[in-house]
Amino acid sequence: MTACEETQMNAHVDLPAVMAACARRIGTVYLVGAGPGDPDLLTLRAARLLQQADVVVHDHLVGDGVMDLVGPQAERLYVGKQRDRHSMPQSDINRLLVQQARLGRQVVRLKGGDPFVFGRGGEELQVLAAAGVPFQVVPGITAACGVASCAGIPLTHRDHAQSCTFVTGHLKDSTCDLDWATLARPRQTVVIYMGLSGLDEICRQLVAHGLSPDWPAAVVSDGTLPSQQVVCATLATLAAEVGRAGLRSPCLTIVGEVVRLRQTLDWFCTDKALAD
Ligand SMILES: C[S@@+](CC[C@H](N)C(=O)[O-])C[C@H]1O[C@@H](n2cnc3c(N)ncnc32)[C@H](O)[C@@H]1O
């Protein structure tokens, strides 16, 4: 029995006042990172919140393995976005989160990877803050880290890279206004999120701005999952190789000398149960 229900059972209380207080009770929104796909990569806190939530508002990239951890009491609301197929505008998602919290529910807003890395998590929190809705953030493993680990590509191996840059390759209006000169410098690793459709152009720009056509690059699809596929090639050949292999979204592109290390560090076994 909740504290509200308990109070209502007491004959001496002012019932209208109690009802008004209950109506004002507001839930918390937990902005939770679901990691890159493999449910074993969730944080313990994320798993606990999924068990306890009243409602889980989830995205396209949150896989079945993670959703299986949601408690049976929770309502599941899918608000996923896919390229060119926005199922719910961002403003409606923001409104939904505020509404659900104002119903007094504990809301898990579940996003792929980490909610603050190319995930619009910050935008959603700004709306909650403006509406006076309490919130907490639970970080997740971002795709760059999870996917590179499972592809056997150490992003900042110190023999090859002094820095690692995460960029989005999402082409707005078919153009990509990245700082190509900076991205084309050697001794760094560049990780490109959402770059599959513009892969050809991305590789061309990196070569045009100074990297060798032989520079190593890889695309990983469905990283961390049993369906993971990795194509390693060069900037000159990557787009064609990825096309030949038929890789599908979600895909992450990794550019840099560290890609070569996969030849000896590829450890991923699709039947992880055998490896554990
Ligand atoms: C909208 S961004 C969200 C990123 C997420 N917030 C994160 O921290 O990983 C989605 C992109 O992340 C990358 N991505 C996410 N999960 C992936 C996976 N399992 N394998 C490969 N790429 C992935 C893809 O580039 C995909 O297009």
Side-chain angles (χ1 to χ4, degrees), residues 61 143-144 147 167 169 191-197 199 218-223 229-231 242 246-254:
L61 276 180
V147 169
V167 296
V191 179
I192 303 152
Y193 288 70
M194 296 169 275
L196 186 61
S197 61
L199 186 60
V219 172
V220 184
S221 130
D222 269 354
Q229 276 182 280
V230 185
V231 169
V242 165
L247 296 197
R248 307 274 296 268
S249 263
C251 279
L252 199 77
T253 304
I254 304 174

